[in-house]
Amino acid sequence: MAPETQAPTILRFGVFEVDLRAGEVRKQGARIRLQEQPFHVLTLLLQRPGEVVTREELRSAIWQSDTFVDFDNGMNTSINKLREALGDSADNPRFIETLPRRGYRFIAQVTGVDGTARGTAAGVSAAAPLRSRKMVVTLAIVVLAAGIAGGLFWRARKARHLTEKDTIVLGDFANSTGDAVFDGTLREGLSVELEQSPFLSLVSEEGIHQTLQMMERPASARLTPEITREVCQRTSSAAALDGSIALIGTRYTLILKAVNCVSGNLLASTEAQANDKSHVLDALGKAASEMRRKLGESLSTLQRYNTPLEQATTPSLEALQAYSLGYKTFGEGDDAAALAFFQRAIQLDPNFAMAYWGLAFASADTALAAGSARKAFELRAGLSELEKLKIECDDYTGDVTKARRSCELGAKTYPREPWFHWDLALYSDALGQYDAGLKEKLEAIRLAPYNGRYCRTVVYAYLLLNRVQDAEAAAKEGCAKAVDANPETILYLVAFYRDDPVEMARQAARAAGVPGDEDSMLAMEADTAAYFGNLGKARELTRRAAESAELAAKKETAASYYAVSALREALFGDAAEARQQATVAKRRSTGRDLDYGVALALAYAEDANRARALADDLGKRFPHDTTLHFNYLPTLRAKLALVRSNPQQAFDILRVAAPYELGLPALSDYNWPNLYPVYVRGEAYLAAHQGSEAAAEFQKILDHRGIVLNEPIGALAHLQLGRAYAMQGDTANARAAYQDFVTLWKDADPDIPILIAAKAEFAKLK
C-alpha cells in the first residue's frame, strides 16, 4: 500500500508564498495583511488550482450560518480584498478568475516548497494518451453533454432578460459605511439612471406604497430584499432590484442585484468601486448602466439614453439627498417640507436643474414656481432625455403648441411613462378638446393606477363631458386603488352636478381640518353659496378659505380666493365691494390667473383704467402664453370695449378666442375662470340688441354644465337667457328662464343688486 501523501502547508505562486498553517501571506518575504475570510477563500482556491470553486462550495465552507444576502455581500467583499492584496484585477486577472453566476478559479501555477506543481496556468493537468475506444466514446459523451449543458445555459441566460412589458421594483440600498448621506440618496440616483431607459419600467412610488398598505406595513417601511421581493410578487413584476454599498479600506464597493421575485433566482448582478466618496455617484452610474445591459436592454438605446448620473442629477451627494427627501415628501403631500428640501438642494448645487423643477411643483407661489421652472428650462441641456422632455413638456412660457410637441415626443419615446399623457390631457382640456383629454387621462391612469391626482382628473374629465354616471363610477372604482387620492373636492362637484346637498355636506365634512384640502373645499363651498345667491355666506367662506390657505403656506392661493370673490361681487352688481376685494387680493400676491381675476372684476366694476393696466402688464409678462392671449386677454379687452359701449369691437376682439372658448384656462384643481369668453360675448350681443345670438351664447353655458359647474355665471346665464328671449319678444321662454333664475335664488340675500333688477324685469313680463 502506497504511503499517504501529506498535503503541503506552504504553497507558492508568482512572487507570493502562503503558509496555510500560520495563516500568513508573504510577497517576496514581506508579510501581507489579509483578513480571515479572504484568507480562507484564498486557501480553498489554492487547494484546487485550475478548478472552478463554486460560490455554493465557498458558502458551505466559510459562511455556513449566515443568510444568503450576508454571504453574497461577504463573498464579493472578500474577493475584492483578496484581489487588492495580490494586486490582481477582475477585468484582466493574473490569479483569480471570476466565472459569472458560477464561482471562481485560481489560474496561476501553484507549487509546493519542493517545486512540485499543483496546477497549470490553464488549470488542467497534462492529458494522458487515449488508450481505448471506451475512452473515446466517453469523451464524445462528455462533449455532447457539455454542448447540451451549454445550450441550456445559453437559453437560461436568454430567459433571464426582461421584456418591454416587465416591471421592476426598486428596493433600498444596504448601507454598511456608517455614512447617512447614502441613505435614500443612492436609491434616488439609481432610479434616475434606470428611468433613462425606454426599455425598463420601475413600479411607481404610489404603487409601492399601495402594496405596502395591502401588506399591512407603513408606507415608510424600509424596502429590504425580502419586502422588495414580496412587493414585486404582489405587483406582478418581473424583478426585484437591490443595492448595497460598503467601505473597504478607503474604497467604496457598490453591488446591484436583480432577482426573479417568484423564484428568487439571480437574474443579474453588477459591481463597481469608487476610490473615494466623491466618485460614488459615478460608480453607481456605471453599475446601473451595466445592469441595464444585463437585463436585456439593446446596445442602441443604452448608448443613446445614458447620460452620466452626476450630469443627470448633481455631483453633490448632499444635494441629491436633499432632492430625494423633497421628492419623497412631495409625493406624500407635504408641499411645505418638499419646498424646504428642494431649496436646500439648490443651495448645495445652484446648477441642479431637477431641484429647480421640483421647486416649481412644490411652490404655491406662482412667481417662485415660474422662476424655478424657467431656471430648470435653462439648465435642461445636461439632463437625461426623459427629464429634458418632461421639463420641455411643462413649458414654463405657456406655449401650448410647443409644449404638446415635447409631450408627444416623450410619449412616443417613453410609452410607459404616464407623465406625458397627463400633460397632453391638460393641454387638450385647455383647448376645449375634452374627448382627446379623456383618452390621454385614461392612458395615464392605466400606466399609474395608484396615482391619486390622475384619478381625480379622470373623474373631472367625465364631468366636463356631462357624463356624471361615468364620473361617479371612476371615483368609486378608480380612486379606490389610488394612494392619497383625496377625492373629496371632485366628489363634491359630482354631488353638486347631481343637486345632492347631503352628499356635498358629507364631502365637505371629510375635508375639514385636512391641510392643503380644507381651503379648496371652503372655496368651493363659497362658490356654491354664491351660485344660489347667498352672498354673505360666500364672503365668510372665502375668508375662511383664504386663512386656511395661508396656514398651509399657500399665499397666492389665498389671494386668488379674494380675486374670485371680487369677481362675484362685480357680477352681482356691488362695484364698491368688488374693488375692495380686488385690492385685498392684489395686496397679498400676484400671478397670471390671480391678476386676470382681479382685472376682470375691475372691468365689471367699471374701473377701466386699473383693469386695462393689469391687462397690458399681463401681456408683457407672458408674451408666449397661449391661454392668456387666446382666452384671458380677449375676454378682458372685450369687456372693456363694452364698458365703452362698443359691442362691435367686443365681437372683433373675441373672434380669436372662439376656437378655445370652451377650454379650461387655469389648469388647476380650482378651475374657476371657465366660459367667460362665451358669457362676455353674450353680453355683447345683448348690448347690440341681438337677442337670438345672445340666447345662443347663454344657452351654450347651460349646455356645458359640467364645465361651468358652480361658477356664478352658471346661475346668471338663466337670467341673461331670459333677457335675450325678452329682447326677441319670446315672452313664454323669457318667463321660463327668469323663473329658473328666481327659483335658484329663492333663498338668496334680498339686497343683491342684480337680484333686485331681475325681480323687477320678471314682474314686467307677468
Side-chain angles (χ1 to χ4, degrees):
M1 181 176 177
E4 184 177 325
T5 303
Q6 186 176 1
T9 61
I10 295 179
L11 298 174
R12 293 171 178 166
F13 59 92
V15 296
F16 296 95
E17 182 178 280
V18 179
D19 189 331
L20 301 180
R21 183 176 297 172
E24 294 179 351
V25 179
R26 289 184 173 85
K27 179 180 180 181
Q28 295 178 330
R31 183 179 174 184
I32 296 175
R33 235 178 125 176
L34 193 61
Q35 294 177 346
E36 183 178 0
Q37 282 189 337
F39 183 84
H40 286 326
V41 172
L42 177 61
T43 299
L44 288 171
L45 293 173
L46 290 175
Q47 289 174 342
R48 294 168 56 185
E51 298 180 26
V52 177
V53 181
T54 68
R55 291 174 70 90
E56 188 57 38
E57 288 173 323
L58 289 166
R59 176 183 179 178
S60 299
I62 303 173
W63 283 274
Q64 293 179 359
S65 61
D66 288 4
T67 64
F68 174 79
V69 175
D70 290 336
F71 157 71
D72 208 37
N73 289 331
M75 183 72 257
N76 291 324
T77 299
S78 293
I79 290 292
N80 288 334
K81 287 184 176 180
L82 189 51
R83 282 187 172 130
E84 188 174 355
L86 301 178
D88 202 12
S89 166
D91 296 328
N92 187 24
R94 293 184 299 127
F95 303 118
I96 301 170
E97 178 187 19
T98 300
L99 287 85
R101 291 174 291 277
R102 294 176 63 195
Y104 303 92
R105 176 165 52 199
F106 200 86
I107 57 176
Q109 187 175 49
V110 180
T111 64
V113 288
D114 58 357
T116 304
R118 295 181 55 81
T120 67
V124 181
S125 300
L130 297 179
R131 297 188 182 91
S132 66
R133 180 178 176 84
K134 181 178 179 181
M135 293 184 68
V136 174
V137 173
T138 301
L139 181 60
I141 293 173
V142 170
V143 171
L144 178 61
I148 294 172
L152 291 174
F153 177 69
W154 180 85
R155 289 181 62 188
R157 289 194 64 185
K158 185 176 179 67
R160 286 175 178 174
H161 285 177
L162 304 185
T163 72
E164 293 183 350
K165 296 181 179 180
D166 291 325
T167 53
I168 299 171
V169 178
L170 187 58
D172 285 318
F173 263 72
N175 175 16
S176 62
T177 66
D179 192 338
V181 75
F182 297 118
D183 294 337
T185 309
L186 297 183
R187 183 177 186 271
E188 179 64 33
L190 180 58
S191 174
V192 171
E193 172 64 32
L194 296 179
E195 285 177 340
Q196 293 190 56
S197 168
F199 172 74
L200 299 178
S201 179
L202 303 182
V203 173
S204 69
E205 294 303 301
E206 295 92 351
I208 291 175
H209 292 167
Q210 176 72 357
T211 307
L212 287 171
Q213 287 181 7
M214 294 182 346
M215 294 163 56
E216 298 184 347
R217 293 181 181 272
S220 59
R222 179 170 176 75
L223 294 172
T224 63
E226 295 77 15
I227 292 177
T228 304
R229 185 175 164 190
E230 184 175 351
V231 171
C232 183
Q233 291 174 357
R234 288 175 178 262
T235 56
S236 299
S237 297
L241 180 58
D242 298 299
S244 66
I245 182 169
L247 180 60
I248 304 171
T250 60
R251 301 181 71 191
Y252 291 88
T253 298
L254 295 101
I255 299 171
L256 303 180
K257 290 193 313 171
V259 301
N260 181 299
C261 56
V262 176
S263 67
N265 293 335
L266 186 67
L267 298 176
S269 65
T270 62
E271 182 179 324
Q273 284 81 39
N275 290 328
D276 53 48
K277 188 175 176 179
S278 64
H279 290 89
V280 166
L281 288 180
D282 180 57
L284 176 62
K286 291 175 180 176
S289 296
E290 180 65 10
M291 177 60 73
R292 288 169 58 182
R293 183 188 67 79
K294 288 187 174 183
L295 289 176
E297 184 169 352
S298 69
L299 185 61
S300 61
T301 62
L302 188 56
Q303 290 175 339
R304 182 176 179 184
Y305 304 107
N306 195 17
T307 302
L309 185 55
E310 290 187 356
Q311 182 178 325
T313 56
T314 170
S316 168
L317 278 165
E318 291 77 9
L320 184 57
Q321 183 181 46
Y323 172 79
S324 173
L325 291 169
Y327 186 83
K328 180 176 182 290
T329 50
F330 181 72
E332 294 169 351
D334 191 346
D335 292 358
L339 189 69
F341 282 124
F342 289 135
Q343 288 173 327
R344 173 63 177 159
I346 291 167
Q347 288 173 357
L348 292 166
D349 181 2
N351 294 316
F352 193 173
M354 293 309 295
Y356 285 105
W357 196 55
L359 186 62
F361 276 91
S363 177
D365 183 331
T366 298
L368 176 61
S372 300
R374 185 182 304 112
K375 187 66 175 178
F377 190 85
E378 292 168 357
L379 294 169
R380 75 192 188 284
L383 296 178
S384 70
E385 189 68 13
L386 174 64
E387 291 171 331
K388 192 186 306 178
L389 285 170
K390 281 186 175 182
I391 288 176
E392 291 175 352
C393 182
D394 282 331
D395 180 30
Y396 75 94
T397 66
D399 187 332
V400 171
T401 302
K402 182 179 177 181
R404 286 184 75 169
R405 284 199 297 266
S406 295
C407 291
E408 288 164 354
L409 178 58
K412 182 178 180 180
T413 307
Y414 296 92
R416 293 196 288 178
E417 172 54 60
W419 182 277
F420 299 110
H421 295 285
W422 187 53
D423 268 7
L424 280 170
L426 297 183
Y427 293 136
S428 294
D429 288 351
L431 300 176
Q433 299 167 1
Y434 296 123
D435 285 310
L438 174 60
K439 180 181 178 182
E440 296 293 346
K441 290 173 187 177
L442 289 173
E443 180 62 11
I445 199 66
R446 185 188 70 81
L447 294 168
Y450 304 108
N451 189 297
R453 180 172 293 183
Y454 294 171
C455 167
R456 291 193 296 273
T457 58
V458 168
V459 178
Y460 194 27
Y462 285 122
L463 274 185
L464 294 169
L465 293 166
N466 287 331
R467 294 168 58 177
V468 67
Q469 290 181 334
D470 290 328
E472 287 183 313
K476 291 176 182 177
E477 297 169 13
C479 290
K481 300 178 183 177
V483 177
D484 299 325
N486 299 330
E488 292 83 12
T489 52
I490 193 66
L491 289 177
Y492 177 91
L493 292 175
V494 171
F496 174 84
Y497 191 104
R498 283 202 170 279
D499 194 20
D500 186 347
V502 174
E503 180 63 15
M504 290 164 64
R506 191 174 80 85
Q507 296 300 334
R510 290 180 62 188
V514 179
D517 291 340
E518 181 184 64
D519 65 281
S520 297
M521 182 61 76
L522 287 169
M524 288 186 180
E525 288 188 286
D527 291 341
T528 300
Y531 182 89
F532 291 109
N534 306 130
L535 197 50
K537 182 179 179 181
R539 290 169 185 157
E540 174 60 19
L541 287 166
T542 294
R543 183 190 63 77
R544 290 173 55 196
E547 288 178 353
S548 179
E550 287 173 346
L551 286 173
K554 297 160 64 176
K555 182 180 177 182
E556 186 178 328
T557 301
S560 72
Y561 295 150
Y562 284 113
V564 173
S565 177
L567 180 56
R568 284 196 300 256
E569 300 287 352
L571 286 166
F572 293 170
D574 192 335
E577 183 65 24
R579 295 189 192 104
Q580 192 270 332
Q581 295 275 347
T583 301
V584 170
K586 278 299 293 175
R587 190 185 299 132
R588 277 171 161 75
S589 189
T590 188
R592 187 197 69 165
D593 298 338
L594 166 64
D595 288 353
Y596 169 66
V598 170
L600 191 57
L602 292 173
Y604 270 99
E606 299 190 356
D607 191 340
N609 290 334
R610 288 173 66 193
R612 188 176 299 107
L614 276 172
D616 292 343
D617 182 59
L618 279 168
K620 292 176 183 176
R621 283 160 51 199
F622 303 98
H624 306 293
D625 192 296
T626 302
T627 290
L628 184 75
H629 291 278
F630 290 93
N631 187 303
Y632 286 173
L633 289 182
T635 303
L636 272 173
R637 288 169 176 156
K639 183 60 186 176
L640 289 171
L642 291 180
V643 171
R644 297 191 302 270
S645 302
N646 192 340
Q648 185 56 52
Q649 186 182 26
F651 296 145
D652 294 339
I653 292 171
L654 284 169
R655 192 171 292 117
V656 70
Y660 316 108
E661 62 188 16
L662 297 180
L664 305 184
L667 290 179
S668 70
D669 290 340
Y670 183 49
N671 215 312
W672 55 268
N674 304 336
L675 302 188
Y676 276 89
V678 179
Y679 190 80
V680 172
R681 188 184 294 108
E683 290 181 312
Y685 279 125
L686 285 179
H689 302 286
Q690 296 177 238
S692 177
E693 290 80 358
E697 296 301 315
F698 295 121
Q699 187 61 51
K700 192 185 298 180
I701 292 174
L702 297 177
D703 290 342
H704 291 89
R705 189 181 173 203
I707 300 175
V708 75
L709 291 166
N710 57 353
E711 289 185 63
I713 61 172
L716 295 181
H718 292 285
L719 170 61
Q720 301 288 31
L721 184 61
R723 289 171 171 171
Y725 281 132
M727 186 174 288
Q728 300 174 65
D730 188 344
T731 305
N733 279 325
R735 285 175 179 168
Y738 272 99
Q739 185 61 58
D740 288 339
F741 176 70
V742 171
T743 301
L744 273 179
W745 280 36
K746 64 181 186 300
D747 298 318
D749 300 344
D751 58 344
I752 300 176
I754 200 167
L755 176 61
I756 295 171
K759 286 182 175 179
E761 294 165 15
F762 191 23
K764 291 180 182 178
L765 289 174
K766 296 179 180 178

